[in-house]
């Protein structure tokens, strides 16, 4: 277990910088929403996001060249769980797609993702997106000083599995701040009352990946894209969360989500 003293506690100045980066990341997802439609390629979405981040926002897309990742956002469609690489894939009606955006502004990171429906979603597509969003919300609701990471994981797991879905275990949320990935690791499954106790000033992502079928996944030959082994649909939503003195603050909440 990671000792509590190794978890970065953000200063008020750090938190304000993270609010700025978080709002920027949310703004990118707001901007791209109208472009997620049939006939558009994921590469076109990547270009629009890259130009918005580097041009209008004067920020840096964190994924670009991170450990060799070749693009500025991640685009994961249908049975792709996470880390999909934008390319020549054309969006089709009834597709669901996760767009994952992380920006760096003044040395601090803001990390968020959302699910989008391409045209009119299928019943199954809408349902998995809804279950994944409620899973995220239930995890977030556990965040307060003195709560544990296990409280977050248990809230997510119990809800998702109660909806006859499964939680991916190989990938998790993470601390974030000056670094893209810091301690702690935030598992989306577990037992209440276990794991690290939360303290005010901690910042981390919660980003459950929820599968409509079994939880098992595999990594494709590009060494990035993760898919469900049974090719069932998968959905994910993500926020960057600050632990406050009394609860939590979502640093990547868009005005459109309030």
């Amino acid at each position: 277990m990671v000792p509590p003293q190794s978890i970065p506690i953000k200063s008020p100045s750090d938190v304000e910088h993270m609010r700025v980066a978080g709002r920027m990341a949310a703004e990118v997802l707001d901007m791209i929403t109208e472009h997620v439609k049939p006939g558009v390629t994921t590469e076109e979405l990547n270009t629009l996001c890259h130009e918005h981040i580097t041009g209008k926002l004067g920020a840096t897309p964190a994924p670009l060249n991170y450990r060799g990742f070749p693009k500025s956002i991640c685009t994961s469609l249908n049975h792709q769980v996470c880390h999909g690489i934008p390319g020549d894939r054309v969006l089709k009606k009834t597709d669901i797609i996760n767009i994952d955006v992380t920006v760096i502004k003044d040395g601090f990171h803001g990390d968020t993702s959302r699910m989008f429906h391409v045209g009119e979603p299928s019943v199954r597509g809408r349902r998995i997106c809804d279950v994944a969003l409620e899973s995220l919300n239930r995890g977030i609701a556990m965040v307060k000083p003195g709560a544990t990471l296990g409280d977050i994981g248990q809230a997510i797991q119990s809800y998702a599995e109660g909806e006859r879905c499964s939680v991916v275990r190989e990938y998790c949320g993470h601390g974030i701040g000056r670094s893209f990935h810091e301690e702690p690791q935030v598992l989306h499954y577990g037992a209440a009352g276990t794991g690290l106790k939360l303290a005010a000033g901690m910042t981390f992502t919660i980003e459950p990946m929820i599968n409509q079928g079994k939880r098992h996944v595999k990594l494709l030959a590009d060494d990035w894209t993760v898919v469900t082994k049974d090719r069932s649909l998968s959905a994910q939503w993500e926020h960057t969360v600050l632990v406050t003195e009394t609860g939590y603050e979502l640093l990547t909440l868009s005005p459109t989500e309030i």
Side-chain angles (χ1 to χ4, degrees), residues 2-227:
V2 178
Q5 61 267 28
S6 69
I7 309 300
I9 299 296
K10 306 304 190 295
S11 69
S13 175
D14 293 341
V15 168
E16 188 51 45
H17 279 96
M18 291 194 68
R19 287 192 183 106
V20 172
R23 285 195 295 265
M24 287 184 171
E27 181 184 322
V28 176
L29 291 177
D30 288 345
M31 178 278 299
I32 205 62
T33 299
E34 65 179 300
H35 301 284
V36 181
K37 55 189 178 183
V40 174
T41 67
T42 53
E43 178 63 42
E44 289 173 307
L45 298 178
N46 178 78
T47 298
L48 288 166
C49 290
H50 178 89
E51 291 176 349
H52 191 85
I53 294 167
T54 60
K56 182 176 180 180
L57 299 180
T60 301
L64 184 61
N65 300 319
Y66 179 78
R67 296 182 179 176
F69 191 80
K71 300 293 180 178
S72 295
I73 61 172
C74 298
T75 52
S76 304
L77 281 89
N78 300 327
H79 72 291
Q80 295 176 345
V81 175
C82 60
H83 304 157
I85 301 174
D88 58 6
R89 175 75 175 266
V90 177
L91 301 186
K92 300 179 302 209
K93 290 180 182 178
T94 76
D95 280 345
I96 59 172
I97 180 173
N98 175 272
I99 299 179
D100 193 341
V101 170
T102 308
V103 304
I104 309 170
K105 182 66 175 179
D106 297 327
F108 287 85
H109 292 69
D111 188 2
T112 185
S113 80
R114 293 180 206 162
M115 294 302 300
F116 296 85
H117 301 302
V118 182
E120 185 63 27
S122 67
V123 172
R124 292 172 64 83
R126 183 181 296 278
R127 182 173 186 274
I128 191 61
C129 291
D130 290 347
V131 170
L133 179 57
E134 181 63 17
S135 298
L136 171 65
N137 289 338
R138 292 192 181 214
I140 290 170
M142 295 295 105
V143 176
K144 62 181 179 180
T148 69
L149 290 178
D151 296 338
I152 298 172
Q154 192 274 336
I156 292 168
Q157 182 182 10
S158 62
Y159 173 74
E161 292 181 352
E163 294 294 317
R164 304 182 305 282
C165 296
S166 61
V167 180
V168 173
R169 300 194 177 198
E170 290 82 355
Y171 301 89
C172 61
H174 52 88
I176 189 169
R178 288 187 179 275
S179 297
F180 197 165
H181 296 91
E182 301 177 347
E183 293 294 345
Q185 294 188 41
V186 182
L187 304 182
H188 303 119
Y189 61 94
T194 64
L196 178 77
K197 279 194 174 182
L198 305 183
M202 291 181 178
T203 52
F204 49 80
T205 69
I206 304 177
E207 47 182 302
M209 288 142 273
I210 308 298
N211 296 347
Q212 206 146 49
K214 295 181 179 179
R215 69 172 182 84
H216 306 290
V217 301
K218 64 179 180 180
L219 182 66
L220 296 187
D222 63 18
D223 285 332
W224 282 104
T225 307
V226 179
V227 299

